[in-house]
Amino acid sequence: MRCFICHQEIIPEVNWANVWKIDAKQTCCSECLSLFENINPGCPKCGRPSVEEICFDCVRWGRDKEDPLEKNISLFRYNDFAKDWVARWKYRGDYELIYSIAPQVKKVWREAGWNYSVVAVPLSEERLSERGFNQSEALIRTLDKEPLHLLERQGSEKQSKKRRTERMAAANPFKLKKTIHQPVVLVDDIYTTGTTVRHIATLLKENGCPKVYSFTLFR
Amino acid sequence: MFKKTEAFNWIPHHSTPHTFPHYAGKILLPHEIPPEHIEELTKTSVLTRVPSIIKKQCRRCGNQKPHLFGHLPHAKCQQDCLYCRNCIQMGRVIECEPLYIGSPECFWPAWENALAWAGELTPSQQQAADEIADLVKTGSGEKLVWAVCGAGKTEMLFPGIALGLAEGKRVCLATPRIDVVRELFPRLQRAFPAIEVQALHGESEKTGDGQLIIATTHQLLRFAHAFDVIVIDEVDAFPFHNDPSLHFAAKRAGKPDAARIYLTATPRNQEKRRIRSKQLPVVFIPKRFHGHPLPVPKLTLSFNLSRYLKKNELPAAILNLIKKPRDRQLLIFLSSISLTSGLRGFLASKGVVTEQVHAGDEDRKEKVERFRNKEIDILLTTTILERGVTFPSVDVFVIDAGHEVFDEAALVQIAGRAGRSPDDPKGDVIFFHSGKTNAMLDAYDLIRKMNRLGQKQ
Ligand SMILES: [Zn+2]
Ligand SMILES: [Zn+2]
Ligand SMILES: [Zn+2]
């Protein structure tokens, strides 16, 4: 087996703890894996690293009206290594890079115990044809789930260029195609300010969805 | 230079020159061309469509290794498409999309007397410069320039480059490291002030439409039959040595009748074999430009060295040598990043102030600059500074020289950091070890051999 990030041959380390499990597929070498930073415990609501209580952002989201998002779980901090990883995966389009952290993704997903339908975050036609795949759907496939396509984009999605305040105030870039009346999980690659997932959560909840969670790789 | 013969007969040949330098000899992905121009450019054969992955080989980087290909459920064509993971940093090559090859036949001007450099070459530099220029004139051939560290190889290239430009040829100088591109670019531009020299590397914005280009070897992946003269610097260095796709790219970037010049101070076995069997013509420059011999390393045995290093400490003998007052600055080479920081702490506890650099260090450029300005006396480094950087007056220590990261080439290069300036052509080079390795002995022998050859000249 080779590391899906650096392509080095992975030599499994055998010790008493794992001697019966070494044939469990390793997809990332220990060196590359060590460059990701786990988030624990983080904000119990959004997973913001380096805090232990509900963080300032989450308090603010729920201040004026009810926060549409129930809870976010993220795997890793969005550090420099993660940024390079995302650039290669999403922008260069190296689809198979997701296999490198698939075991971790599945583990955290199992631990979350969310037995809900999984909703994909749509991309605009333009982005989709540039990249060749939708990162949210790629992640959902990694979880062995079928994505629900309830939404579509409206307008442009150059939101990362805007400032936080502008982003919060911006009109909702999504439209609902189909309603759902069960709890759902949104799946995406990065949780930055939480604006994207909350835009979607608001739409879903206004149209009959009781609870919206989100599952993201990086925070 | 190349083990397997690659025909590259899929690269189209056209005899009518065009006037689109930014397409000349380029390999492009569809989205790198303005969509409104593709049809016209293809009709006039400025661009030619070719399949991008054929017989499980990526045509841009030559990759054939199955583990470096991936499958993508492709939204665009609703198929499971094969793509190349090896050259993904330059954008994705995917089997359902073609590559576009720009016809190399572009009009390039002839530059009379383009060389403004007025320096003088030493007799051995002149010898090499003449042989390089001869090859540029005839084309269709290779030449290995085997020059010791500090021989002044850049200047040796000038007459050949000038001759090429005078004949309206296109010239590329490729070197493995981005630092070296940055260092050579201004020197090349000063030598050829009338021409717009282009520097190409992963962080540059240039499109590669120049007649005289200095690039990292990686950038050659963007070219096909583009250059009449192609110079590959440091053929023995990482990453060129050991990366088959860079060899593939270097071969393809030159025209079939190109003059190919390779530079090295420490040829690998592959080149040595080709030299011995007379397949690769070679010119030696065993003497430094200032005429003084290379500093010969001293091999110093240090018992229990690894036991000390494990604790991030140094034996008293080495520590005392480091503490000893010296006229020159001191460069200390270590086998790992963790050791550079570990020993920095240890030395600090003994009252010795040092600085450290390694490959991933964001402040590397700045620290090297401070060392050059003599704001730092002692610099701890990994092999990252083994080549390409020049300091006028340093002593050099290698601690744990028997470590596998220090192969023959690395040790020769490291020793070559000392005595670079005519004002101070000497310098102490010490390899501390806990048992001599072949690499150490081979490096020692090579340096002495070059000094003997240099004396004869
Ligand atoms: Zn790895
Ligand atoms: Zn490739
Ligand atoms: Zn396709």
Side-chain angles (χ1 to χ4, degrees), chain B residues 12 44 101 134 168 180 228-229 236 248 274 278 296 315 326 383 388-389 394 426:
Chain B
T44 51
I101 315 286
D134 285 347
V180 183
D228 303 285
V229 178
D236 62 285
F248 174 90
R274 289 195 61 207
K278 305 248 186 293
V296 178
R326 59 185 65 245
T383 53
V389 285
V394 290
K426 291 192 179 137

Short mmCIF file of all heavy atoms in Angstrom, two decimals, chain B residues 12 44 101 134 168 180 228-229 236 248 274 278 296 315 326 383 388-389 394 426:
data_model
loop_
_atom_site.label_atom_id
_atom_site.label_comp_id
_atom_site.label_asym_id
_atom_site.label_seq_id
_atom_site.Cartn_x
_atom_site.Cartn_y
_atom_site.Cartn_z
N PRO B 12 3.67 17.02 -33.27
CA PRO B 12 3.54 17.40 -34.68
C PRO B 12 4.71 18.24 -35.15
O PRO B 12 5.37 18.93 -34.37
CB PRO B 12 2.25 18.21 -34.71
CG PRO B 12 2.07 18.70 -33.32
CD PRO B 12 2.66 17.67 -32.42
N THR B 44 -5.20 26.52 -38.23
CA THR B 44 -3.96 26.99 -38.85
C THR B 44 -2.73 26.22 -38.35
O THR B 44 -1.60 26.62 -38.59
CB THR B 44 -3.75 28.48 -38.52
OG1 THR B 44 -3.87 28.66 -37.10
CG2 THR B 44 -4.77 29.35 -39.20
N ILE B 101 -0.67 20.86 -28.44
CA ILE B 101 0.76 21.09 -28.63
C ILE B 101 0.92 22.30 -29.54
O ILE B 101 0.38 22.32 -30.66
CB ILE B 101 1.45 19.89 -29.32
CG1 ILE B 101 0.99 18.57 -28.71
CG2 ILE B 101 2.96 20.04 -29.27
CD1 ILE B 101 1.54 18.25 -27.37
N ASP B 134 30.75 25.35 -29.89
CA ASP B 134 30.80 24.47 -31.06
C ASP B 134 29.55 23.61 -31.16
O ASP B 134 28.98 23.43 -32.23
CB ASP B 134 32.03 23.54 -30.97
CG ASP B 134 33.32 24.28 -31.29
OD1 ASP B 134 33.22 25.42 -31.81
OD2 ASP B 134 34.42 23.75 -31.00
N GLY B 168 19.37 33.28 -34.06
CA GLY B 168 17.91 33.25 -33.92
C GLY B 168 17.41 31.97 -33.28
O GLY B 168 16.31 31.49 -33.58
N VAL B 180 18.14 28.89 -7.15
CA VAL B 180 19.17 29.08 -8.17
C VAL B 180 18.58 29.86 -9.36
O VAL B 180 19.26 30.72 -9.94
CB VAL B 180 19.77 27.73 -8.62
CG1 VAL B 180 20.87 27.93 -9.63
CG2 VAL B 180 20.29 26.96 -7.41
N ASP B 228 16.23 25.09 -29.14
CA ASP B 228 17.37 24.69 -29.97
C ASP B 228 18.58 24.39 -29.09
O ASP B 228 19.43 23.59 -29.45
CB ASP B 228 17.74 25.83 -30.92
CG ASP B 228 16.58 26.23 -31.80
OD1 ASP B 228 16.27 25.49 -32.73
OD2 ASP B 228 15.96 27.29 -31.52
N VAL B 229 18.64 25.09 -27.97
CA VAL B 229 19.75 24.89 -27.04
C VAL B 229 19.14 24.69 -25.66
O VAL B 229 18.35 25.51 -25.19
CB VAL B 229 20.69 26.12 -27.00
CG1 VAL B 229 21.81 25.90 -25.98
CG2 VAL B 229 21.24 26.42 -28.38
N ASP B 236 23.01 15.87 -11.43
CA ASP B 236 23.11 14.86 -10.39
C ASP B 236 22.24 15.18 -9.19
O ASP B 236 22.14 14.40 -8.26
CB ASP B 236 24.57 14.80 -9.92
CG ASP B 236 25.00 16.12 -9.33
OD1 ASP B 236 25.23 17.08 -10.09
OD2 ASP B 236 25.08 16.22 -8.11
N PHE B 248 12.34 12.70 -18.76
CA PHE B 248 11.41 12.66 -19.88
C PHE B 248 11.15 14.07 -20.41
O PHE B 248 11.27 14.35 -21.60
CB PHE B 248 10.12 12.01 -19.37
CG PHE B 248 8.96 11.98 -20.31
CD1 PHE B 248 8.77 10.90 -21.16
CD2 PHE B 248 8.01 13.00 -20.31
CE1 PHE B 248 7.67 10.84 -22.00
CE2 PHE B 248 6.91 12.95 -21.15
CZ PHE B 248 6.74 11.87 -22.00
N ARG B 274 28.37 6.31 -19.11
CA ARG B 274 28.27 6.81 -20.48
C ARG B 274 29.54 7.55 -20.89
O ARG B 274 29.89 7.56 -22.07
CB ARG B 274 27.05 7.72 -20.63
CG ARG B 274 25.74 6.95 -20.58
CD ARG B 274 24.59 7.80 -21.10
NE ARG B 274 24.78 8.19 -22.48
CZ ARG B 274 24.27 9.29 -23.03
NH1 ARG B 274 23.56 10.11 -22.29
NH2 ARG B 274 24.47 9.57 -24.29
N LYS B 278 32.28 6.25 -23.91
CA LYS B 278 32.41 7.27 -24.95
C LYS B 278 31.08 7.62 -25.63
O LYS B 278 31.04 8.06 -26.77
CB LYS B 278 33.41 6.83 -26.04
CG LYS B 278 34.79 6.46 -25.50
CD LYS B 278 35.83 7.49 -25.95
CE LYS B 278 37.24 7.09 -25.58
NZ LYS B 278 37.51 7.09 -24.13
N VAL B 296 40.55 20.25 0.88
CA VAL B 296 40.40 18.80 1.05
C VAL B 296 39.84 18.52 2.44
O VAL B 296 40.36 19.03 3.44
CB VAL B 296 41.76 18.10 0.87
CG1 VAL B 296 41.62 16.59 1.10
CG2 VAL B 296 42.31 18.38 -0.52
N PRO B 315 30.01 15.65 21.56
CA PRO B 315 31.20 15.32 22.35
C PRO B 315 32.03 16.58 22.59
O PRO B 315 32.00 17.51 21.77
CB PRO B 315 31.97 14.34 21.45
CG PRO B 315 31.03 13.93 20.38
CD PRO B 315 29.97 14.97 20.27
N ARG B 326 37.48 31.80 15.47
CA ARG B 326 37.93 31.55 14.10
C ARG B 326 37.77 32.82 13.25
O ARG B 326 36.96 33.69 13.58
CB ARG B 326 37.19 30.37 13.49
CG ARG B 326 35.66 30.55 13.45
CD ARG B 326 34.94 29.31 12.94
NE ARG B 326 35.10 28.18 13.85
CZ ARG B 326 35.76 27.06 13.55
NH1 ARG B 326 36.29 26.92 12.35
NH2 ARG B 326 35.87 26.10 14.43
N THR B 383 20.89 19.35 4.55
CA THR B 383 21.57 19.34 3.24
C THR B 383 21.00 20.40 2.29
O THR B 383 21.50 20.55 1.19
CB THR B 383 21.46 17.96 2.56
OG1 THR B 383 20.09 17.59 2.53
CG2 THR B 383 22.27 16.92 3.31
N GLY B 388 24.37 25.47 -4.63
CA GLY B 388 23.64 26.62 -5.16
C GLY B 388 23.91 27.91 -4.40
O GLY B 388 23.82 28.98 -4.96
N VAL B 389 24.25 27.81 -3.10
CA VAL B 389 24.49 29.04 -2.34
C VAL B 389 26.00 29.25 -2.14
O VAL B 389 26.73 28.30 -1.92
CB VAL B 389 23.81 29.01 -0.96
CG1 VAL B 389 22.33 29.22 -1.11
CG2 VAL B 389 24.11 27.71 -0.25
N VAL B 394 33.92 30.73 4.60
CA VAL B 394 33.35 29.85 5.63
C VAL B 394 34.23 28.64 5.88
O VAL B 394 34.96 28.19 5.00
CB VAL B 394 31.94 29.33 5.25
CG1 VAL B 394 30.91 30.43 5.29
CG2 VAL B 394 31.96 28.64 3.89
N LYS B 426 40.87 29.50 0.94
CA LYS B 426 40.99 28.31 1.79
C LYS B 426 39.79 28.23 2.71
O LYS B 426 38.94 29.10 2.74
CB LYS B 426 42.28 28.37 2.59
CG LYS B 426 43.49 28.20 1.70
CD LYS B 426 44.73 27.95 2.53
CE LYS B 426 45.92 27.77 1.61
NZ LYS B 426 47.08 28.50 2.12
#
